[in-house]
Amino acid sequence: MPPSPTKKKPPLTHFLCLPLTSSSAVVSQWQASLKRFSADISPTSPPLSSSSPSTSTATSTATPPSSNILPSTGSARKQTIPLKAVRPVGTLHLTIGVMSLGDKGAVERAVGCLKGAVEEVWQGGERADRAAAPVTDLAEDTNTTSPPPSTTSPLTLAFAGLESMHSPRSTSFLYVPPEDRSGRLYPFCEGLKKRFVREGLMVDEKRGLRLHATVLNTIYAGKVFIGGNKSTGGDGEREAEVVEDRVQGNEEGDGDGAEEQRPSVAESKRGKKGKRKKQVVKFDARELLERYKECVWARDVEVEKVAICEMGAKEVVDESTGEVVGEEYREVASVRLA
């Protein structure tokens, strides 16, 4: 009896996230950091100056404290990291989980779940904090006791360092991890994820949550041909031709998903003689990670809401000029953290 065909998984359509562009000051920090990063990896720009920004510039609310970024050595440029891989500011977020919402009814269920989940997890955390706080004599010095942070205070993050989603030796995906001094970020996001998984709305990836702000992903820059016969790169090395093959629908795989499952160039099996394959560009990020390990990309990033967004960033067009000025994900629904 022939084996039954494997059921094809439904396409991912939405994701649950924390947007990271809450204010113009935060946006300015991200813009300056990403601009500097793009210049650093550009194959055409001259090496960056070794001088550090002044102290006043580093602490400005409009400019990121990037004095910890080391001067470029130029080796990263030799690998020709595509600049299109650097993510636009409007796409920055922390993905909590991905969903396959195939119809309007499923979307409505997810929106309803969002409202209840935020109230349950966020406000429930506030009640738990109050219950856990020790009782003190009001006549005593109140500074002697530090109760757990309350969810009534804003959830404020910093973003520093640079990490790779894959082995740094051959990667396509770099991100900046969040720093949360209050200790509330991961419990909150994990609580939301559990609620959505329990309701059958979110893909249960059977692994720990890894929150990250994606700053570079070569899947957005197209693919390159590899393999072929002797006259077309039979040694399996990448060729110069880049194929514009943007992945739509599942491109928000940085929600701890799709990109990690894509084979690297080194891992790919070489095609038959005369055949060529298209693969996402991979590069050695070890030196880049080392140089950016102390870099502060943004400070005082307040998380204002939880949102459900559609997969696939959309272009933002300036209505007055008709020019594309950025990209962002379409928000289906959101709940503010009051």
Side-chain angles (χ1 to χ4, degrees), residues 5 26 31 107 158 161 173 193 196 205 214 255-256 262 295 304:
V26 169
Q31 286 176 332
V107 174
F173 191 144
K193 185 172 184 177
F196 272 76
E205 298 172 304
T214 304
D256 272 340
R262 296 180 180 277
C295 167
E304 294 184 339

Side-chain angles (χ1 to χ4, degrees), residues 82-123:
L83 291 180
K84 286 185 179 180
V86 179
R87 302 304 293 135
V89 174
T91 66
L92 296 176
H93 63 274
L94 297 177
T95 305
I96 299 171
V98 293
M99 297 174 280
S100 180
L101 307 177
D103 53 47
K104 184 178 179 181
V107 174
E108 291 176 349
R109 284 181 56 219
V111 172
C113 181
L114 173 64
K115 296 176 180 178
V118 171
E119 180 178 358
E120 174 187 323
V121 180
W122 184 250
Q123 297 182 5

